[in-house]
Each structure stands twice: as structure tokens, then as C-alpha cells.
Amino acid sequence: MLTDTKTKAPGLADLPPVQSDALLALIAMCDADPREHKIDVGVGVFRDGAGNTPILQVMKQAEQRLVDTQKTKAYLGTGGDKRFAELLRPILLGPHAGDERIAGLQTPGGCGALRLGFELIATVNPRARVLVGTPTWPNHPPIIKATRLEVSEYPYYERGQGIIRFDEMIAALQNGEPGDVALLHGCCHNPTGADLGEEQWDEVIQVVAERGLIPFIDIAYQGFGRGLEEDAYGVRLALDSCDEVIIAQSCDKNFSVYRDRVGSLFVKTGSKSATATAMAHVGQRAREMWSMPPDHGAAAVHIILEDRELADRWIVELAAMRDRINDVRQRIASADPRLAYIGRQFGMFSMLPLSKEQVVQLREHEAIYMADSGRFNVVGMGDDQLDRFIASVAGALGN
Ligand code: LMR
């Protein structure tokens, strides 16, 4: 048979356009805005009262020690720095730190941990659905879909009232099939700030365990909400109640090392040997995607957590960031009764009940940059910008 030589294989020039990531586009738009009074409450980075994202003092010291003492940069392997993952165990897992059915490895940020965790699910059960409450972090669905798993959405949050649609969440989880995955935000829900209370966690995990779902907890802001211990309530409850648990953790925010990409993935199965097999798969997937995680940030976190005095100082610096977040929340909440719900929420984000058109107007007329969804970073602005921000939002909400 003759081959049809006229049919041309697609070339790179045939690629369709990509819709750019909305948050990254927002960062670029804000950067390009020459107006000096612009307010950037878009991306989720902590800023202090002066509007800066300083490197933690304890991190500077650890990095200096790293420069002075590091003897080699030879490869560490797909799991990165093993000691780094061990040092995170008591902080994240609490009383479960010694459980040998739980294993962890270093990843490039929380994003790498998420991808790896879903790759693991897709390896064992490609038919699993991932139950996702909406709104969620906009990068969750693309990461899940990249592993070919199905995303099944349910409504999580009532934007007008600033409350969780808890009954709908429970109903969605009750409809899950055994082996399906429940993606849960460990604390400081992104984008809403609406965290489950302890009784709600109890009910959620009870349903998850009864239905045989796998809880997959994304915890990227531990210590930014109520406190390091309190913020891990859901993680530890899931470990109490379920044989199989996946946790994607990030140090990017609580150690303020955003661009260094420092995270970890923890996996629990019903036995030590099954966990070892699962981690071998995880290592293989990591090898295929990034081979080995970047070292620098995790090495500095390792130095901090290994040294009692530095670790204590980290806890103090972390508490200062948390106090500022909660203080700004209270200031916004008390300025306008329509914003009172913001004082009952946690972490860097809340959503304003604004339409996309109103968000665009704030951007164009007031140089205030927030996500089109109305998500804003409560500590995105310096203290000197807060009054103007509140007044502009109040104006947009109408009198
Ligand atoms: C955010 O939600 O703003 C951060 O997690 C940054 C990001 O990568 O989206």
C-alpha cells in the first residue's frame, strides 16, 4: 500500500493557543502597572506592614550556615533530603510521627507533592474520581486532570454569606465510591479562608472513612491560621481514622521561601511494606518528572529544624506572620459589617462578593489587583494601603 505522502504530521507551529494561567497573568499585569499607589492583593505571598516579603531572619542565618558548611552538591536521589522529611514529621503528623506505615519525601513545593500524590492514585486506580469542593485553588483541577483522573466538583462555599455549604459537602462525600479521593484543604482554605471547624472535620473524616474514600489533604499554610498544632487537626484526624491517607505539604509559605520550592509528600497505607511499595512508585514517578527536587531551600529548612534554638526562633517569626494576618483580618472585618465574615476566616485569602466586572473596575480605576473571582490576599498590602483598600471595596459593594 502506498503511503499518503501529502498528509503532513503536525508540527510545533500547529499547537493551539493556551489560555494563560489567570493568577500568573495577574502578577504580570500588576508588575507592568506604573501607578505608584497600586495595591497588589493578587498572588498569595505574605507581606509585612511595610509591604515587603522579607526573608525570615532565621532563614538568612540558616542559609549562611549552609554556604559555610556545605561540602558537596552531589545528588541526593529522587526523594531529596531524607532528614528534611524526617524533621517535618512531628510538626505535621504530631502523635503519628512514629507510625512506620507513613513515609514521606521531599518535593518541589506543594505543587510537586500534589502532582506526585495524584500520580500515585492514577497508578493504582485510574478510575478513581477526585471529589473537589469549589471554589478551590485554581491549579488543583489542572494538576489532577494532568494525571488523567476525573475531577468531580461539589459546592463548598456560599460566597454571599461567607459560609461553608457543609450539608452539600457531606452529601457529595456520601456519594463517593470506595477508592475515590476526597481532596481537602488542611487549613487556611485557598481561595475562601473558610476552614472546617473541629466538629465539621470530625464529621467529614467519619464519612470519608465510612465510605472508603482516600483523604488527600493539601496543607500549604500550616501555622498561618490558628497555630502550627491547631492547623494540623484535620491531617491528624485523617491519620487516626483512615488506613490510606495522602498529604501534600508545603514550606514555601511558613518558611517564606516561595521561589525555592520546598515541599513534601507523605503517604500512609495499611502496612509498612505496602507503604514501602507505594513510595517506590512515588520515587519512580518523581524520577520521570523532575528526577530529583531542588536542594537549597529544603537544606536550609533542615538546618533550622535540626537546631533547637533556630527552630524556636522560626516558631516566633511564624507566629508574627500569623498575628499580622489575623490582625489585618480584624481590621477589615470591623471596618464594614458586610466584611465581618473576614474576621471569622483564616489564612491569607478571603473572597469578596464582587462580580468580575467590579473586580476589573477596581483594577482599572483604583489600581487594586485581585483575582477575577474576588479572592484577595489580606496581607498583600502594606498598612498604609489598608484604608484605601477598604474604602474602595466598600464603594464597589455600594452604599
Ligand atoms: C496562590 O494561590 O496565590 C499561590 O498558591 C501561588 C500560586 O502558585 O498560585
Side-chain angles (χ1 to χ4, degrees):
M1 211 173 96
L2 287 173
T3 328
D4 182 3
T5 47
K6 285 197 189 111
T7 317
K8 191 174 156 288
L12 297 180
D14 299 313
L15 283 166
V18 171
Q19 205 179 354
S20 59
D21 181 281
L23 197 70
L24 299 184
L26 189 71
I27 296 174
M29 224 190 304
C30 183
D31 283 349
D33 188 334
R35 290 175 287 183
E36 277 193 2
H37 65 288
K38 66 188 172 188
I39 294 179
D40 175 12
V41 285
V43 71
V45 292
F46 174 90
R47 297 199 179 98
D48 62 17
N52 300 318
T53 306
I55 299 171
L56 299 184
Q57 286 177 16
V58 80
M59 179 55 64
K60 269 281 182 209
Q61 196 173 330
E63 287 183 306
Q64 190 58 57
R65 196 181 292 176
L66 183 62
V67 169
D68 292 343
T69 60
Q70 194 172 42
K71 291 195 175 66
T72 178
K73 287 186 182 287
Y75 293 126
L76 286 175
T78 53
D81 178 350
K82 289 199 174 73
R83 184 71 184 140
F84 160 79
E86 268 172 35
L87 288 162
L88 288 175
R89 291 178 78 99
I91 297 167
L92 181 65
L93 311 177
H96 299 273
D99 189 337
E100 294 187 328
R101 294 168 301 172
I102 308 171
L105 88 170
Q106 186 198 327
T107 59
C111 208
L114 285 164
R115 178 65 190 265
L116 211 44
F118 287 116
E119 289 284 348
L120 182 64
I121 298 289
T123 303
V124 68
N125 180 12
R127 294 162 62 98
R129 290 180 312 156
V130 184
L131 311 182
V132 180
T134 60
T136 192
W137 183 47
N139 209 18
H140 276 152
I143 291 173
I144 298 165
K145 287 176 191 164
T147 68
R148 310 263 188 272
L149 290 172
E150 184 189 329
V151 176
S152 172
E153 296 186 338
Y154 62 86
Y156 175 78
Y157 183 68
E158 179 61 58
R159 195 156 73 132
Q161 298 174 54
I163 54 169
I164 296 171
R165 295 168 73 160
F166 192 64
D167 292 346
E168 286 161 270
M169 178 181 192
I170 292 295
L173 297 175
Q174 274 164 341
N175 279 330
E177 295 293 328
D180 283 349
V181 175
L183 175 61
L184 303 166
H185 295 234
C187 64
C188 306
H189 189 275
N190 180 4
T192 71
D195 281 357
L196 296 170
E198 291 190 359
E199 283 174 17
Q200 289 175 317
W201 268 116
D202 295 347
E203 209 174 322
V204 163
I205 294 298
Q206 192 183 337
V207 174
V208 164
E210 275 169 13
R211 288 298 302 156
L213 310 180
I214 300 177
F216 189 134
I217 305 186
D218 179 4
I219 179 157
Y221 298 90
Q222 190 183 357
F224 270 22
R226 297 170 164 96
L228 266 180
E229 286 293 301
E230 296 86 337
D231 289 351
Y233 183 84
V235 164
R236 296 174 191 178
L237 192 65
L239 293 170
D240 283 338
S241 312
C242 305
D243 268 350
E244 299 193 343
V245 181
I246 297 186
I247 307 160
Q249 180 273 352
S250 174
C251 296
D252 290 336
K253 287 82 176 178
N254 56 13
F255 282 85
S256 213
V257 286
Y258 305 89
R259 66 176 71 160
D260 283 339
R261 314 306 299 139
V262 187
S264 65
L265 176 75
F266 283 85
V267 175
K268 178 188 175 190
T269 78
S271 72
K272 189 179 166 185
S273 67
T275 298
T277 305
M279 293 314 279
H281 282 276
V282 163
Q284 182 58 35
R285 294 288 90 76
R287 177 75 171 142
E288 290 154 12
M289 289 190 288
W290 50 75
S291 186
M292 304 175 208
D295 177 67
H296 177 85
V301 169
H302 173 157
I303 288 174
I304 292 171
L305 295 180
E306 193 81 87
D307 180 313
R308 192 65 256 167
E309 195 236 318
L310 293 184
D312 286 347
R313 281 179 36 217
W314 167 62
I315 287 170
V316 172
E317 289 196 71
L318 174 61
M321 290 196 279
R322 174 172 64 250
D323 289 349
R324 170 163 160 75
I325 291 169
N326 290 327
D327 176 54
V328 175
R329 282 192 172 280
Q330 295 313 321
R331 280 151 71 189
I332 297 173
S334 58
D336 189 315
R338 292 169 298 181
L339 303 177
Y341 66 93
I342 291 170
R344 297 188 288 273
Q345 298 179 336
F346 294 96
M348 280 203 280
F349 307 112
S350 275
M351 289 183 94
L352 294 165
L354 298 173
S355 65
K356 185 176 170 188
E357 289 68 34
Q358 289 171 312
V359 169
V360 171
Q361 277 195 355
L362 281 174
R363 195 180 305 157
E364 285 174 0
H365 299 153
E366 307 288 343
I368 294 178
Y369 284 79
M370 72 179 76
D372 285 350
S373 62
R375 185 195 88 164
F376 78 105
N377 171 6
V378 298
V379 287
M381 62 206 134
D383 285 339
D384 59 335
Q385 295 178 312
L386 192 55
D387 288 345
R388 186 168 77 82
F389 174 79
I390 293 170
S392 301
V393 167
L397 291 172
N399 297 313

